[in-house]
């Protein structure tokens, strides 16, 4: 039982319906009635039997809600019986007690209504926290690309400048390799040869020793035959050397590929830096979008959980509040009956009264989370461009020679490395589908069927 100030400045009892409070008040009235009675008659020492009946009946009110309801029904029955027997008649003390209790009941009804309003307000406050969570808007890619410090065109232009330097270096290395190690210059007959990286073992003339052994130095025919043999070998050597020279047509004596390599690598690093800066914008965008969605989803999930919890809490408390209102209606009826001109009839009416939900329609709660119109949890539909993926390379650098594309940059796979994945990344399958639809615009259904089968 607590006290608060009414708008008129007088004390107003603000209390939740509780049996202990009623018992205390009734006992107080009983004492007051006894004093008043003694002063009035000079002999009475007991309270009014009506007030005693109320006081004694409410002694059981500390029980559970079903027992309280039974106690109230028993109270009504006893009051009716007492009134019918005429054992006691209402007096000034009883009238004063009834008026005071009715005032308390009025305050208690107001407290119930205030409690109910606070319950709905608590639910609505939780619901407002959910609706305040706003899903991120999709990125305006036109404005995003205009604000990029380095755009795709700058990367392509850089790679175009790199291509001739790369071609010059690779051609130099190719010619250097060709001219320093041709198959013709590696023929066994011309070894050793400086234009053969793996010359092998040069042929030895000792293999012809048996041809010379036993030949007569005095016979011209033998000498002519041997001379012809070695002339043939000399021709073979000349032919092999000529083939070696022919295979090196256009070759230089030496190649300075290092200078060409340095020029190419300088440009390559510059293009790598430019590409990294370009791709970093997409990494930053993905990080920002993911962070926004993570913040929104955390906001929604945490507050939605809080809302559902609050709804369950208030739903559990609602039946008790309704039963409290039912008890107050019954007590109010009994109090009115005691003060009526036909107490017995009015008490009987109160006993027969059947209070239903129609009597406390105002004590109903709205549960926003259960409404079809309640704001739903959104999901990210924005597809992120992820540097390092096949889709990104094909989409952004289709005009760049694959030999110029770096195997690794710090921006590669920056999207898949994020701690969250609320938004999906575009894949090469999407690009393939787009190309197929454009290529076979007149046969969309056939193209899609074939493409889906191939992708699967």
């Amino acid at each position: 039982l607590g006290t608060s100030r009414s708008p008129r400045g007088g004390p107003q009892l603000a209390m939740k319906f509780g049996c202990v409070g009623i018992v205390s008040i009734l006992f107080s009235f009983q004492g007051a009635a006894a004093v008043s009675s003694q002063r009035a008659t000079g002999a009475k020492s007991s309270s009014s039997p009506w007030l005693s009946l109320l006081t004694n009946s409410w002694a059981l009110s500390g029980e559970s809600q079903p027992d309280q309801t039974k106690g109230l029904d028993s109270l009504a029955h006893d009051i009716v019986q007492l009134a019918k027997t005429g054992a006691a008649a209402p007096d000034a003390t009883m009238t004063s007690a009834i008026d005071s209790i009715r005032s308390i009941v009025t305050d208690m009804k107001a407290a119930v209504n205030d409690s109910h309003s606070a319950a709905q307000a608590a639910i609505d406050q939780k619901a407002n926290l959910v609706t305040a969570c706003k899903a991120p808007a999709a990125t305006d890619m036109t404005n995003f690309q205009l604000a990029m410090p380095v755009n795709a065109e700058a990367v392509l232009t850089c790679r175009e400048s790199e291509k001739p330097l790369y071609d010059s270096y690779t051609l130099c290395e190719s010619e250097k390799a060709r001219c320093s190690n041709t198959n013709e210059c590696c023929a066994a007959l011309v070894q050793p040869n400086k234009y053969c990286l793996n010359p092998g073992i040069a042929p030895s003339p000792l293999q012809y020793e048996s041809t010379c052994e036993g030949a007569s130095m005095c016979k011209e025919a033998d000498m002519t035959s041997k001379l012809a043999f070695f002339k043939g070998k000399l021709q073979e050597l000349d032919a092999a050397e000529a083939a070696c020279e022919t295979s090196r047509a256009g070759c230089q004596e030496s190649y300075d590929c290092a200078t060409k390599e340095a020029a190419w690598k300088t440009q390559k690093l510059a293009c790598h830096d430019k590409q990294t800066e370009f791709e970093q914008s997409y990494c930053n965008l993905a990080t920002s979008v993911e962070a926004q969605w993570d913040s929104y989803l955390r906001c929604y999930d945490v507050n939605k959980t809080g809302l559902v919890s609050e709804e369950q809490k208030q739903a559990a408390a609602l039946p008790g509040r309704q039963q409290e209102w039912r008890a107050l209606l019954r007590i109010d009826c009994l109090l009115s009956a005691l003060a009526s001109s036909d107490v017995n009839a009015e008490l009987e009416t109160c006993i027969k009264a059947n209070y239903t939900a129609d009597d406390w329609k105002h004590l109903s709660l709205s549960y926003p989370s259960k409404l079809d119109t309640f704001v739903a949890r959104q999901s990210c539909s924005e597809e992120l461009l992820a540097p390092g993926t096949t889709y990104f390379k094909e989409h952004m650098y289709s005009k760049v020679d694959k030999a110029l594309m770096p195997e690794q940059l710090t921006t590669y796979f920056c999207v898949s490395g994020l701690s969250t994945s609320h938004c999906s990344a575009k894949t090469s399958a999407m690009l393939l589908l787009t190309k197929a639809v454009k290529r076979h615009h007149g046969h969309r259904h056939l193209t899609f069927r074939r493409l889906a089968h191939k992708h699967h």
Side-chain angles (χ1 to χ4, degrees):
L1 179 64
T3 60
S4 63
R5 289 290 175 180
S6 69
R8 296 186 300 272
Q12 179 183 14
L13 293 174
M15 52 186 286
K16 183 178 181 180
F17 179 69
C19 302
V20 176
I22 292 293
V23 171
S24 299
I25 292 170
L26 291 178
F27 270 115
S28 298
F29 284 131
Q30 182 182 17
V35 173
S36 176
S37 178
Q38 288 176 350
R39 291 177 178 176
T41 65
K44 287 185 179 180
S45 61
S46 61
S47 65
S48 167
W50 291 95
L51 189 54
S52 297
L53 177 62
L54 289 173
T55 302
N56 294 334
S57 298
W58 270 102
L60 57 84
S61 299
E63 302 298 330
S64 63
Q65 181 62 47
D67 290 337
Q68 290 178 13
T69 303
K70 292 178 181 178
L72 289 173
D73 291 339
S74 177
L75 171 62
H77 177 74
D78 291 344
I79 291 175
V80 171
Q81 293 303 315
L82 183 60
K84 286 181 177 180
T85 60
D91 55 14
T93 301
M94 188 60 195
T95 301
S96 177
I98 291 174
D99 291 341
S100 297
I101 295 174
R102 179 177 286 111
S103 177
I104 294 171
V105 169
T106 300
D107 289 342
M108 290 167 61
K109 283 184 176 181
V112 171
N113 288 330
D114 291 344
S115 176
H116 184 74
S117 297
Q120 186 64 64
I123 293 175
D124 294 342
Q125 182 183 25
K126 298 290 185 180
N128 290 337
L129 292 176
V130 179
T131 56
C133 302
K134 301 300 182 183
T139 304
D140 186 333
M141 293 306 295
T142 299
N143 290 334
F144 166 74
Q145 291 170 352
L146 289 175
M148 293 174 67
V150 175
N151 56 28
E153 190 62 32
V155 178
L156 297 178
T157 300
C158 187
R159 294 299 182 188
E160 288 176 1
S161 300
E162 179 190 358
K163 185 62 166 62
L165 298 176
Y166 170 77
D167 289 343
S168 177
Y169 164 66
T170 54
L171 177 61
C172 179
E173 287 292 342
S174 176
E175 283 296 289
K176 180 180 178 180
R178 179 183 73 83
C179 294
S180 63
N181 191 46
T182 67
N183 291 334
E184 290 79 4
C185 292
C186 288
L189 195 58
V190 294
Q191 299 310 311
N193 192 298
K194 66 179 181 179
Y195 302 119
C196 182
L197 299 180
N198 298 297
I201 301 175
S204 172
L206 295 179
Q207 61 179 310
Y208 304 117
E209 183 178 5
S210 60
T211 302
C212 297
E213 289 293 335
S216 173
M217 298 179 62
C218 300
K219 292 183 178 180
E220 184 178 356
D222 287 344
M223 296 302 295
T224 302
S225 174
K226 302 309 176 191
L227 182 60
F229 175 80
F230 282 102
K231 283 183 177 180
K233 291 298 179 183
L234 183 59
Q235 289 176 352
E236 290 180 14
L237 177 60
D238 290 340
E241 289 179 343
C244 176
E245 287 299 322
T246 301
S247 70
R248 296 188 67 255
C251 291
Q252 303 174 9
E253 285 300 317
S254 63
Y255 288 88
D256 183 16
C257 296
T259 301
K260 297 180 183 295
E261 180 183 19
W264 165 58
K265 287 188 173 180
T266 298
Q267 181 67 22
K268 179 180 73 171
L269 291 176
C271 292
H272 281 9
D273 290 343
K274 197 173 292 292
Q275 183 174 333
T276 298
E277 189 175 0
F278 165 68
E279 293 181 354
Q280 188 61 49
S281 295
Y282 286 96
C283 293
N284 295 342
L285 174 62
T287 301
S288 174
V289 170
E290 280 292 322
Q292 291 177 50
W293 273 100
D294 191 61
S295 176
Y296 158 72
L297 292 173
R298 284 177 181 273
C299 175
Y300 188 94
D301 292 343
V302 169
N303 288 301
K304 178 68 178 296
T305 299
L307 169 61
V308 173
S309 177
E310 185 67 29
E311 288 176 339
Q312 293 172 344
K313 171 186 171 183
Q314 298 300 342
L318 182 59
R321 191 180 301 117
Q322 293 172 339
Q323 290 303 315
E324 187 175 351
W325 190 265
R326 180 203 299 269
L328 290 172
L329 290 178
R330 187 177 298 277
I331 293 173
D332 201 16
C333 181
L334 292 174
L335 294 176
S336 297
L338 292 175
S340 68
S341 58
D342 191 349
V343 174
N344 289 338
E346 292 300 326
L347 288 176
E348 196 66 32
T349 299
C350 290
I351 291 174
K352 294 180 180 180
N354 182 27
Y355 298 103
T356 66
D358 290 338
D359 295 301
W360 50 81
K361 289 181 179 179
H362 66 291
L363 295 181
S364 61
L365 293 172
S366 173
Y367 303 105
S369 70
K370 298 180 180 180
L371 300 176
D372 293 337
T373 55
F374 188 66
V375 58
R377 187 179 191 267
Q378 303 297 308
S379 58
C380 178
S381 59
E382 183 171 350
E383 294 174 332
L384 303 176
L385 286 168
T389 62
T390 301
Y391 176 86
F392 192 91
K393 292 178 180 178
E394 293 178 349
H395 181 69
M396 296 295 182
Y397 312 124
S398 61
K399 298 179 181 180
V400 177
D401 191 319
K402 287 182 171 53
L404 302 182
M405 292 302 299
E407 294 182 0
Q408 184 63 44
L409 289 178
T410 57
T411 51
Y412 281 9
F413 309 110
C414 62
V415 174
S416 60
L418 294 174
S419 59
T420 60
S421 55
H422 302 301
C423 308
S424 61
K426 287 190 175 182
T427 64
S428 56
M430 299 175 185
L431 183 64
L432 182 62
L433 180 62
T434 301
K435 290 181 177 179
V437 171
K438 289 181 178 179
R439 188 179 301 114
H440 303 286
H441 182 72
H443 305 280
R444 289 184 176 178
H445 64 286
L446 179 60
T447 300
F448 184 80
R449 184 183 297 275
R450 291 176 177 173
L451 182 61
H453 177 72
K454 180 179 179 181
H455 180 59
H456 176 72

